[in-house]
Amino acid sequence: MEAEAELERLVVALATALRAAGVVVPVGAVIAFARAIGALAPTEPAGLYWAGRATLICHREDLEAYDAVFAGLFGSLPPPRLPAARPRLVTVAAAGEGAVPGADAAGARLGAYSHSERLWQEDFARYGEREWDEAKLLIDRLRAPLQLRSSRRLKRARRPGRVDLARTVRQALAHDGEALLSSYLVGGERPRRLVFLLDISGSMKPYARAFLRLAHAATAARGPRQVETFVLGTRLTRLTRPLSERDPDEAFEAIGRTAPDWYGGTRLGDGLAAFNSGFGARGVARGAIVVFVSDGWERGDPALLGSEMARLARLAHRVVWVNPHQASPGYEPLAAGMAAALPHVDDFVAGHSLGSLEELIELLGQPARVVAGGRGGSRVAIR
Amino acid sequence: MAASDPQERAFAGVEELEAALDAAGYLADEGLATAVFLALELRRPLFLEGEAGVGKTEVAKALSTVTGGELLRLQCYEGIGLAQAAYEWDYARQLLHLRATEATGGSARQAEDELYSERFLVRRPLLLALEERSGPVPVLLVDEVDRADDEFEAFLLEILSEWAVSIPELGTIRAARPPVVVLTSNRTRDVHDALKRRCLYHWVDHPAFEREVEILRRRAPGVGEALARQVAAAAGRLRRLGLYKPPGVAEAIDWAGAVVALGRSELDPKTATVTLGAVLKYQEDQERARAAGLETLIDAAVEGGG
Ligand SMILES: Nc1ncnc2c1ncn2[C@@H]1O[C@H](COP(=O)(O)OP(=O)(O)OP(=O)(O)O)[C@@H](O)[C@H]1O
Ligand SMILES: [Mg+2]
């Protein structure tokens, strides 16, 4: 039937446009959407809008993109229905020509989203304010992949087996049954804490805000007890508390109030020493995954940085060094600080673009590996 | 499909369902009503996410009234497991039984086999929701699933996909007719995508101004039109302050109730100041509201409406 084919095209167009806007839309969701339309038999765009929202979207963060895409296809969003209008009869004309615009309209609008693909690879240092305005929202979205994954455990839920009652009955009776019950209690696996150490010296200026935004997304995804953030300037400042503000812009305002010394010189070794003997020793870094974001340009003594890195490596489960300058053509980890730190690093990765942030997140979900250190191909020794 | 089942109440469309929820005391907006309608039609669980007090839990209660299905509530918390959610064996009674058998010289082996029969099984909401019954299917409310850990999420996902629980000692209990399921989350933690994708998703927002006025009129005893409008407007403005816990509908209801309890019928800055604890439950939020200029905010709300 004509109308059916039309709807089908529309379903696909909406899903395609959403994907182009960066929303993850699995095939199962598209099928659910089609079924929802079947059940609802919408005769006005509002029904379509809500059916799509309920089936294609599963994150609040994606609602904005959904609205934009929907408005792009239909010219506008369905007007909200007022409560006063509630007990009325449905008096809507049957869907006909023009009531449901075709998929062609989608094509014209898609161009608007394709430049976000370019944005994905662009170096943060080359961003203008417009790019940043868009990118920061994309970083907020990285929240979803930062969630703790449990795909391994999703396969099979644990079930208690049959208790050997005969063997434990005497013991249990002596303890009011306590012993029996405790044999069923299974301890859950605790996720590893994530610790961000961000270098905020002058040379890191184009990158710092992106990583702070990422730290915010991580904190929002896992909670402030699971994610700690510190910045290293001429001194160490803990930003965990301000970053736990839910709204990113509020978080940045709050950071402003804690007044870290932005974009001055760095003494990475001193800052790291302060971290190690303070928060680090008190348990923040113990067993954690530490993400150290810095280009390794050290104003202080590289030897100190080296020995403090060794200390950090002993405390932490894993140390990932992110160097935004690593992607620059011809970069070699020659900065004296960088060279001193490398032997104590598990992973050495770039961090200059949205794409590399995404790779970093993926890496955080994997076991430690040895990574080639920049273009020169010098391998990072694993400790 | 649910609609063709003679034991189920079927709704001709979203508006009919909306009217039924309304009659049950719940004022749903179009988006929520559509999601609920689809959940019933497609027999797919409904995942409701939103700030505290926006009316998520209440949806399941109203739905139970509307469909006539029994409400089975499972409150989640950290560490919740199979025993609290689905079933467990009644150890105390098993032990008694075993001891009685031993005392009367019965065979321990035989007694042990009897231990895992239905009479020693304690049924929890998930199992109850799947068991055979006559009449409308139950409404299973899995409340605040974000508080459970992800192992439990995995278990839930399995149940909501298979509509079955397997008890090693007894076999598999499979639902002939899947229950209506509502899951809620306050987002204290993000729930795994796989579970959300199994469901229809709806973000429950704070109600629009006019709707909140109507909710207040219905739910807060003794609250007149003028006060309802003032409280709804002021609550709306407080929500924009970026508080740690922005007031939900529940708090707005409490607030209006507190004003009435003081014998007032209008919200003025002074009344608002003394009743602030009813709407903002955290000291920090109260301070923040005061620092942001509570009196001006109230004046503006009373004059400007939503
Ligand atoms: N749309 C509505 N219609 C009628 N009453 C509502 C509505 N929304 C909220 N309420 C009222 O607000 C109260 C709080 O709602 P409810 O407990 O369902 O919120 P919740 O979202 O589950 O909150 P929490 O996250 O704190 O559990 C309810 O008892 C009900 O009186
Ligand atoms: Mg609730």
Side-chain angles (χ1 to χ4, degrees):
Chain A
M1 222 175 78
E2 187 74 4
E4 233 163 73
E6 186 75 8
L7 264 183
E8 206 169 286
R9 257 199 295 158
L10 203 82
V11 167
V12 174
L14 195 50
T16 309
L18 275 173
R19 287 190 184 123
V23 179
V24 178
V25 183
V27 179
V30 182
I31 295 170
F33 182 32
R35 287 188 59 209
I37 292 178
L40 208 56
T43 49
E44 46 185 328
L48 207 63
Y49 172 85
W50 290 113
R53 235 180 92 149
T55 50
L56 299 172
I57 301 297
C58 77
H59 291 279
R60 185 203 184 182
E61 289 69 24
D62 290 337
L63 289 178
E64 212 175 301
Y66 179 77
D67 283 357
V69 165
F70 194 93
L73 281 170
F74 292 92
S76 69
L77 287 181
R81 187 142 52 79
L82 293 172
R86 202 178 344 94
R88 70 179 173 177
L89 290 170
V90 193
T91 50
V92 185
E97 296 279 17
V100 179
D104 294 349
R109 311 268 175 168
L110 288 186
Y113 299 104
S114 65
H115 90 272
S116 70
E117 297 289 324
R118 240 181 301 128
L119 194 66
W120 218 248
Q121 302 312 328
E122 184 75 292
D123 196 305
F124 289 132
R126 280 197 291 272
Y127 271 21
E129 278 317 299
R130 257 195 52 214
E131 281 79 14
W132 171 243
D133 282 343
E134 191 171 340
K136 65 185 185 187
L137 300 179
L138 293 168
I139 297 177
D140 293 344
R141 286 238 205 92
L142 292 174
R143 197 184 144 145
L146 273 162
Q147 279 169 46
L148 297 164
R149 285 174 189 265
S150 58
S151 47
R152 191 167 31 85
R153 277 180 288 164
L154 269 179
K155 294 282 181 284
R156 190 95 235 127
R158 220 180 316 200
R159 295 204 183 84
R162 188 169 164 153
V163 185
D164 186 357
L165 268 184
R167 204 191 59 195
T168 42
V169 65
R170 232 156 249 108
Q171 175 197 356
L173 284 172
H175 296 91
D176 268 343
E178 285 294 317
L180 258 185
L181 291 172
S182 67
S183 74
Y184 269 78
L185 298 175
V186 275
E189 215 175 284
R190 282 281 125 219
R192 293 203 179 269
R193 180 183 294 122
L194 206 54
V195 179
F196 286 100
L197 299 178
L198 309 180
D199 172 354
I200 51 164
S201 61
S203 59
M204 286 292 289
K205 193 171 177 178
Y207 304 104
R209 61 181 177 181
F211 280 93
L212 275 175
R213 196 92 184 182
L214 181 70
H216 178 267
T219 312
R222 300 188 181 183
R225 257 175 303 161
Q226 289 302 319
V227 181
E228 289 272 355
T229 305
F230 299 81
V231 289
L232 296 145
T234 45
R235 62 191 155 79
L236 179 78
T237 310
R238 181 171 184 239
L239 295 185
T240 306
R241 183 136 330 134
L243 280 172
S244 63
E245 289 272 349
R246 265 196 178 185
D247 180 69
D249 295 321
E250 304 253 330
F252 283 93
E253 251 172 57
I255 288 175
R257 288 194 291 274
T258 64
D261 48 342
W262 298 105
Y263 312 134
T266 357
R267 308 181 71 89
L268 289 175
D270 291 328
L272 188 56
F275 173 78
N276 282 341
S277 40
F279 290 100
R282 269 185 269 135
V284 165
R286 187 158 293 125
I289 297 177
V290 177
V291 180
F292 200 130
V293 185
S294 168
D295 54 9
W297 290 101
E298 168 69 312
R299 295 257 187 103
D301 179 6
L304 176 65
L305 178 60
S307 61
E308 288 301 330
M309 279 302 291
R311 230 174 122 196
L312 179 66
R314 281 194 300 274
L315 279 174
H317 167 69
R318 184 173 163 197
V319 179
V320 179
W321 190 295
V322 182
N323 188 338
H325 289 152
Q326 192 199 323
S328 318
Y331 174 84
E332 291 259 359
L334 290 183
M338 191 72 253
L342 274 181
H344 312 290
V345 164
D346 295 298
D347 302 280
F348 183 52
V349 297
H352 62 294
S353 65
L354 286 174
S356 62
L357 291 194
E358 208 177 31
E359 281 164 25
L360 169 66
I361 290 169
E362 202 170 306
L363 176 76
L364 294 179
Q366 292 166 4
R369 57 175 178 159
V370 180
V371 180
R375 297 206 148 230
S378 59
R379 288 184 81 76
V380 175
I382 198 157
R383 68 175 132 95
Chain B
M1 192 174 286
S4 61
D5 190 324
Q7 295 185 84
E8 306 290 325
R9 171 163 179 201
F11 297 92
V14 175
E15 305 216 342
E16 193 182 311
L17 174 63
E18 211 176 310
L21 287 171
D22 185 328
Y26 194 91
L27 299 175
D29 60 23
E30 189 182 10
L32 178 59
T34 306
V36 173
F37 178 79
L38 288 172
L40 295 176
E41 279 296 307
L42 305 176
R43 261 310 127 76
R44 217 176 158 89
L46 178 61
F47 193 101
L48 299 177
E49 204 166 45
E51 306 268 349
V54 291
K56 301 180 297 294
T57 302
E58 203 71 12
V59 171
K61 296 186 190 162
L63 203 48
S64 151
T65 308
V66 157
T67 64
E70 183 192 359
L71 180 69
L72 298 169
R73 179 173 185 171
L74 180 63
Q75 171 64 50
C76 299
Y77 50 89
E78 201 178 334
I80 189 173
L82 189 69
Q84 300 80 28
Y87 71 88
E88 86 187 301
W89 294 103
D90 189 339
Y91 302 111
R93 288 189 53 221
Q94 283 177 320
L95 288 170
L96 275 177
H97 178 71
L98 201 63
R99 198 152 67 150
T101 314
E102 275 179 357
T104 56
S107 132
R109 188 110 302 279
Q110 193 199 334
E112 227 185 292
D113 286 340
E114 288 166 9
L115 287 181
Y116 294 98
S117 56
E118 298 226 4
R119 59 188 268 238
F120 294 111
L121 188 68
V122 185
R123 293 164 169 77
R124 304 287 189 209
L126 290 182
L127 183 61
L128 288 169
L130 299 176
E131 278 184 335
E132 185 78 49
R133 65 173 69 209
S134 59
V137 293
V139 175
L140 172 65
L141 166 63
V142 183
D143 214 6
E144 305 184 347
V145 67
D146 52 324
R147 296 198 186 186
D149 23 50
D150 36 57
E151 209 168 313
F152 183 70
E153 275 177 31
F155 174 62
L156 255 184
L157 176 61
E158 203 169 287
I159 291 194
L160 299 183
S161 311
E162 315 269 322
W163 300 117
V165 173
S166 83
I167 304 176
E169 298 85 354
L170 283 181
T172 299
I173 315 273
R174 192 175 300 278
R177 299 177 296 151
V180 175
V181 184
V182 177
L183 297 93
T184 78
S185 162
N186 278 355
R187 284 232 299 200
T188 55
R189 184 179 64 85
D190 277 308
V191 171
H192 202 285
D193 274 8
L195 182 57
K196 290 167 106 182
R197 291 284 185 201
R198 180 69 199 98
C199 307
L200 295 162
Y201 175 82
H202 186 73
W203 172 263
V204 186
D205 238 324
H206 293 291
F209 175 70
E210 293 293 344
R211 192 174 304 277
E212 187 158 22
V213 170
E214 213 176 319
I215 297 171
L216 285 171
R217 301 239 30 208
R218 296 248 202 129
R219 294 266 168 148
V223 173
E225 177 76 18
L227 180 57
R229 298 188 82 81
Q230 291 165 353
V231 168
R237 281 168 199 261
L238 286 175
R239 280 171 202 145
R240 276 172 247 146
L241 291 184
L243 300 172
Y244 176 70
K245 189 182 178 299
V249 181
E251 285 71 25
I253 294 173
D254 287 352
W255 201 13
V259 173
V260 170
L262 286 180
R264 308 285 170 92
S265 55
E266 300 256 343
L267 186 69
D268 51 61
K270 216 177 121 230
T271 313
T273 308
V274 294
T275 53
L276 196 60
V279 65
L280 302 179
K281 308 279 155 103
Y282 287 88
Q283 196 62 40
E284 293 88 331
D285 283 347
Q286 294 173 18
E287 271 158 28
R288 197 153 176 178
R290 278 188 217 107
L294 183 64
E295 315 221 324
T296 338
L297 182 146
I298 298 295
D299 279 335
V302 168
E303 270 155 42

